[in-house]
């Protein structure tokens, strides 16, 4: 009798690896994307690739194998051509009599199984393996030569650092000027600063000349920290060394410059974006650190609340429209967009980004970097991109009317467009588009949603402790908080009380009512009232909820959320009686319109 086969989702839930809510998220994304459910669950960060493969093996009653544990003989490798191994993601492991054990990422590919059985006159027995495990084993057994494998095994130790430049030949033309900056002590000092910043999770390094010394500061979790004071007499050699690393002109000290490099240390690859600015005490240098290993994170790790997450999935499930992500510099806008692009990419989608610069590189997406020095701007690149048959377009930033109009027309002609703006909140983003000259009817018909965000620091989990309410009288109009927490400070968090950051989000979903108001060119206050009546929560409300959950502190929220959000809430006082409706309905008033 036929035995009903359990679904992978059931196996994962029975094992406690995913929850029904997580499964719902994956199923919503699967409706619009031609991906397997297991792959979506892995990309969302709910389960690992190994857990999916083990669940698949359990579902099909097949063995789960680690291909790297097998010593594959030349006779076994000759049974399957390399082209088929790479194309089908399979690997022959061992031959026992007439039985060939075949590791497969897709053990239901019976066409490949039948073809190998026919060619070799053997019985093929399937085994399940992870894709990454298969790729590594294929490279080991079919790919590179032994001397290259030895080189890969002997990766540089942590203190062995290599900087790469795109045009090393330019270094020779100014070799005479490098003498002081190439001194062993200077090289070691600059290397130590950069490697230490990477270890400290810094996002930026600031090298700031002062009157009597050079101050080195790191930005960690959004806050600058004083790290080191360098003697004034080594200021020029240190700055020259950094400029050499970034392939910049060390003879030019009067004009700002931009450069880039990347750092290989141990198993980490870190991109460096270097910027110089002449000041009265010398050139200030800021190094932006972009860790390739941690740059792309699953969307579920962004801290997006459940009700906003579900609405975003609905927006991304549409074939066209525009989502704008807004916030100040350093609010995590690009990280959010990259996380969603990483989720949306598939074999059936043509995704193209245009950025300045390209911060993180990843497979499956065409990334374009603009060059304003030669006239290759966002608007110029967009015109070319629209002739490349894109499905999804990401624009690094909308800065002017020309770029905005092209992006909006793309959203109206069957493309899903993602972009960022530097505005304070969701409603002012709509007004910003109108102010730069985009007609109201185009804004109302093209924009699907606006996502505003900020980053607040998390309380350090190692030294988190409950404390007395801070100035409770100041917060009497806000939802009550039963327990206040704060970090005492420890070595883990460098005695700051905070470790890591979490996003705070505000989503304005553009529905029929909001579209009509935008088309009527109403005042910003009326849009706020309509959004609040439709259930939108402000950034301050979301940040306050994270205080109530013990994730961050009151002081952090007050420091990171602008006063205008508090003023907006004062127009609609917070309700203490109903936690789900944090604001009372706005007071009735005569409708008013922009003259």
């Amino acid at each position: 009798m036929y035995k009903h086969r359990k679904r992978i989702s059931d196996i994962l839930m029975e094992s406690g690896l995913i929850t029904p809510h997580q499964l719902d998220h994956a199923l919503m994304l699967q409706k619009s994307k031609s991906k397997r459910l297991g792959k979506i669950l892995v990309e969302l960060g709910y389960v690992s690739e190994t857990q999916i493969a083990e669940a698949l093996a359990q579902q099909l009653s097949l063995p789960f194998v680690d291909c790297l544990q097998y010593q594959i003989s030349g006779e076994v490798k000759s049974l399957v051509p390399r082209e088929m191994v790479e194309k089908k993601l399979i690997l022959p492991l061992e031959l026992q009599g007439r039985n060939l054990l075949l590791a497969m990422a897709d053990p239901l590919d019976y066409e490949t199984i039948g073809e190998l059985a026919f060619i070799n006159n053997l019985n093929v027995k399937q085994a399940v393996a992870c894709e990454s495990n298969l790729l590594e084993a294929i490279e080991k057994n079919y790919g590179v030569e032994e001397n290259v494998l030895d080189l890969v095994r002997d990766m540089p130790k942590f203190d062995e650092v290599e900087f790469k430049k795109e045009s090393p030949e330019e270094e020779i033309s100014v070799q005479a000027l490098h003498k002081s900056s190439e001194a062993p002590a200077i090289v070691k000092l600059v290397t130590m600063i950069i490697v230490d910043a990477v270890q400290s999770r810094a996002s930026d390094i600031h090298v700031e000349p002062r009157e009597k010394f050079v101050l080195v500061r790191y930005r960690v979790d959004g806050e600058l920290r004083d790290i080191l004071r360098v003697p004034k007499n080594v200021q020029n050699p240190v700055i020259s060394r950094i400029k050499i690393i970034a392939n910049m002109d060390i003879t030019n000290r009067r004009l700002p410059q931009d450069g880039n490099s990347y750092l290989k240390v141990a198993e980490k690859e870190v991109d460096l974006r270097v910027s110089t600015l002449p000041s009265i005490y010398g050139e200030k240098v800021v190094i932006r650190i972009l860790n390739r290993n941690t740059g792309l994170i699953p969307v579920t790790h962004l801290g997006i609340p459940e009700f906003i997450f579900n609405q975003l999935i609905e927006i991304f499930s549409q074939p066209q429209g525009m989502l704008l992500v807004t916030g100040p510099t350093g609010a995590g806008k690009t990280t959010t967009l990259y996380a969603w692009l990483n989720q949306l990419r598939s074999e059936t989608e043509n995704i193209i980004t245009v950025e300045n610069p390209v911060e993180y590189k990843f497979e499956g997406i065409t990334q374009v970097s603009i060059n304003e020095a030669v006239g290759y701007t966002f608007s110029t690149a967009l015109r070319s991109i629209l002739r490349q048959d894109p499905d999804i377009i990401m624009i690094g930033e909308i800065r002017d009317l020309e770029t905005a109009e092209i992006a909006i027309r793309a959203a109206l002609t069957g493309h899903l467009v993602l972009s960022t703006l530097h505005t304070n909140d969701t409603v002012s983003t709509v007004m910003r588009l109108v102010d730069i000259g985009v007609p109201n009817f185009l804004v109302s018909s093209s924009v699907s949603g606006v996502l505003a965000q900020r980053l607040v620091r998390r309380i350090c989990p190692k030294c988190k402790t409950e404390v007395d309410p801070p100035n409770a009288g100041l917060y009497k109009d806000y939802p009550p908080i039963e327990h206040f927490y704060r970090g005492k400070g420890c070595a883990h968090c460098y005695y700051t009380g905070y470790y890591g950051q979490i996003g705070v989000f505000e989503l304005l979903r553009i529905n029929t009512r909001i579209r009509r108001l935008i088309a009527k060119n109403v005042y910003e206050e009326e849009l706020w009232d309509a959004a609040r009546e439709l259930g939108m929560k402000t950034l301050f409300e979301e940040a306050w909820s994270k205080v109530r959950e013990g994730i961050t502190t009151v002081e952090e929220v007050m420091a990171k959320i602008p006063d205008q959000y508090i003023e907006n809430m004062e127009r609609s006082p917070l309700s203490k009686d109903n936690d789900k409706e944090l604001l009372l309905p706005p007071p009735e008033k005569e409708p008013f319109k922009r003259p």
Side-chain angles (χ1 to χ4, degrees):
M1 179 181 287
Y2 173 76
K3 185 178 180 181
H4 178 68
R5 180 185 295 164
K6 282 188 178 181
R7 297 177 299 180
I8 288 184
S9 58
D10 295 332
I11 295 173
L12 294 173
M13 284 199 292
E14 288 176 3
S15 304
L17 297 174
I18 63 172
T19 65
H21 284 301
Q22 292 172 338
L23 177 60
D24 290 341
H25 289 162
L27 290 173
M28 288 178 69
L29 285 171
Q30 190 186 33
K31 289 179 182 178
S32 59
K33 306 298 173 187
S34 56
K35 288 185 181 180
R36 294 183 179 178
L37 181 63
K39 189 173 184 64
I40 292 176
L41 288 168
V42 172
E43 291 175 347
L44 286 170
Y46 293 146
V47 292
S48 67
E49 188 183 2
T50 301
Q51 290 170 331
I52 288 292
E54 289 175 342
L56 180 61
Q58 180 181 342
Q59 179 194 34
L60 301 176
S61 301
L62 294 174
F64 173 76
V65 295
D66 179 359
C67 300
L68 297 174
Q69 300 298 320
Y70 286 81
Q71 297 293 330
I72 305 175
S73 66
E75 177 190 2
V76 173
K77 285 192 291 185
S78 65
L79 297 174
V80 185
R82 173 175 175 171
E83 293 76 12
M84 179 179 286
V85 165
E86 294 177 342
K87 183 177 180 181
K88 300 291 187 179
L89 266 186
I90 58 177
L91 185 67
L93 298 179
E94 61 183 12
L95 182 64
Q96 295 181 346
R98 306 296 303 171
N99 296 321
L100 173 65
L101 181 62
L102 184 70
M104 309 181 71
D106 180 12
L108 298 180
D109 185 2
Y110 295 112
E111 181 181 352
T112 299
I113 295 171
E115 183 178 351
L116 286 175
F118 176 78
I119 293 174
N120 298 296
N121 193 23
L122 296 172
N123 298 319
V124 177
K125 305 294 183 182
Q126 311 108 291
V128 181
C130 297
E131 285 190 17
S132 58
N133 182 259
L134 272 168
L135 289 170
E136 190 174 351
I138 289 170
E139 182 179 0
K140 175 183 176 182
N141 290 281
Y142 285 83
V144 295
E145 300 176 353
E146 286 298 323
N147 58 344
V148 180
L149 284 173
D150 293 338
L151 180 63
V152 174
R153 293 191 196 99
D154 299 331
M155 289 293 288
K157 297 181 180 178
F158 195 80
D159 57 351
E160 295 177 357
V161 178
E162 180 184 2
F163 293 97
K164 298 290 185 181
K165 298 187 289 290
E166 294 182 1
S167 305
E169 65 275 7
E170 295 182 9
E171 183 177 341
I172 301 174
S173 62
V174 290
Q175 188 68 35
L177 300 173
H178 294 174
K179 186 175 181 180
S180 61
S181 61
E182 295 288 355
I186 299 300
V187 172
K188 186 174 182 180
L189 174 62
V190 172
T191 303
M192 179 204 71
I193 290 172
I194 296 175
V195 173
D196 181 61
V198 174
Q199 286 181 313
S200 302
R201 303 181 298 108
S203 60
D204 301 89
I205 304 171
H206 290 241
V207 181
E208 303 176 353
R210 301 293 171 85
E211 184 177 3
K212 298 182 179 179
F213 57 88
V214 180
L215 180 63
V216 177
R217 301 198 287 174
Y218 299 163
R219 187 178 294 278
V220 181
D221 296 334
E223 302 289 329
L224 280 171
R225 302 176 185 172
D226 291 355
I227 301 296
L228 179 68
R229 291 190 177 190
V230 178
K232 189 72 175 178
N233 62 342
V234 298
Q235 172 180 313
N236 290 336
V238 166
I239 293 175
S240 295
R241 174 61 183 167
I242 295 173
K243 292 169 77 172
I244 289 171
I245 289 171
N247 200 26
M248 299 160 72
D249 183 4
I250 66 173
T251 64
N252 185 354
R253 299 181 182 179
R254 296 183 178 182
L255 295 174
Q257 294 187 65
D258 294 305
N260 62 80
S261 180
Y262 74 89
L263 170 70
K264 282 186 175 181
V265 52
E267 296 181 355
K268 293 183 179 179
E269 291 189 358
V270 179
D271 287 307
L272 305 176
R273 302 279 187 262
V274 183
S275 172
T276 65
L277 181 68
S279 70
I280 59 173
Y281 297 124
E283 289 180 286
K284 177 182 176 179
V285 180
V286 175
I287 305 174
R288 182 82 185 276
I289 300 173
L290 304 171
N291 194 328
R292 296 182 183 179
N293 303 78
T294 59
L296 298 176
I297 63 177
V299 292
T300 52
H301 293 182
L302 295 174
I304 302 176
E306 182 86 12
F307 70 95
I308 292 181
F309 191 90
N310 291 335
Q311 293 182 74
L312 287 174
I313 289 179
E314 292 175 7
I315 291 174
F316 289 123
S317 299
Q318 301 300 317
Q320 65 183 43
M322 177 185 290
L323 176 75
L324 298 172
V325 181
T326 181
T329 302
K333 301 185 296 297
T334 303
T335 300
T336 297
L337 286 179
Y338 276 8
W340 281 106
L341 282 179
N342 195 36
Q343 177 60 47
L344 293 171
R345 63 175 177 167
S346 68
E347 295 179 356
T348 61
E349 301 285 355
N350 178 19
I351 303 177
I352 304 178
T353 73
V354 51
E355 307 167 61
N356 182 28
V358 174
E359 293 192 7
Y360 298 106
K361 302 173 185 176
F362 50 99
E363 296 293 331
I365 292 178
T366 302
Q367 296 174 273
V368 178
S369 180
I370 72 168
N371 186 350
E372 293 183 346
V374 297
Y376 192 52
T377 62
F378 279 109
S379 56
T380 305
L382 273 176
R383 289 191 183 91
S384 302
I385 287 172
L386 290 175
R387 294 192 288 269
Q388 294 288 314
D389 187 30
D391 297 301
I392 300 173
I393 303 171
M394 190 199 90
I395 306 167
E397 182 184 352
I398 293 179
R399 300 178 178 177
D400 51 44
L401 175 60
E402 188 178 10
T403 304
E405 286 181 334
I406 298 172
I408 285 175
R409 287 191 171 87
L412 291 172
T413 54
H415 304 90
L416 181 61
V417 179
L418 315 179
S419 188
T420 69
L421 267 83
H422 285 256
T423 53
N424 291 326
D425 53 60
T426 54
V427 174
S428 65
T429 301
V430 175
M431 295 304 177
R432 171 64 177 158
L433 290 174
V434 175
D435 288 341
I436 65 175
V438 180
N440 296 72
F441 72 92
L442 285 180
V443 176
S444 63
S445 57
S446 61
V447 179
S448 303
V450 182
L451 182 71
Q453 71 177 76
R454 296 288 192 278
L455 292 176
V456 295
R457 291 180 293 173
R458 293 176 179 265
I459 299 174
C460 175
K462 300 288 186 181
C463 59
K464 181 178 178 179
T465 183
E466 187 171 353
V467 297
D468 295 331
N471 300 323
L474 297 176
Y475 315 115
K476 56 184 176 59
D477 294 329
Y478 300 153
I481 297 178
E482 297 181 1
H483 304 282
F484 286 85
Y485 296 92
R486 186 177 297 155
K488 293 187 298 184
C490 63
H492 182 65
C493 62
Y494 292 93
Y495 300 95
T496 62
Y498 298 97
Y499 189 90
Q501 294 174 289
I502 188 170
V504 179
F505 299 89
E506 169 187 296
L507 177 65
L508 174 63
R509 184 74 183 273
I510 309 297
N511 60 10
T512 303
R513 181 181 175 186
I514 299 294
R515 291 185 197 281
R516 289 174 180 170
L517 291 174
I518 295 172
K520 291 178 180 179
N521 200 23
V522 300
Y523 280 116
E524 187 173 323
E525 291 83 355
E526 193 168 348
L527 273 181
W528 268 113
D529 291 342
R532 299 297 295 123
E533 290 172 4
L534 293 169
M536 186 186 80
K537 293 184 179 180
T538 65
L539 279 172
F540 192 89
E541 290 177 81
E542 283 305 310
W544 191 259
S545 69
K546 286 178 168 51
V547 177
R548 300 174 73 185
E549 296 169 14
I551 297 174
T552 189
T553 64
V554 173
E555 294 83 359
E556 182 70 4
V557 170
M558 294 300 180
K560 297 295 174 63
I561 305 300
D563 291 343
Q564 63 191 47
Y565 294 108
I566 303 174
E567 292 171 3
N568 181 63
M569 290 203 307
E570 287 174 353
R571 295 194 302 111
S572 302
L574 286 164
S575 171
K576 299 178 183 178
D577 300 326
N578 190 349
D579 290 343
K580 295 182 180 179
E581 290 187 12
L582 296 180
L583 295 183
L584 295 175
E588 295 185 2
K589 58 183 178 180
E590 292 295 326
F592 53 89
K593 300 177 182 178
R594 192 187 303 273

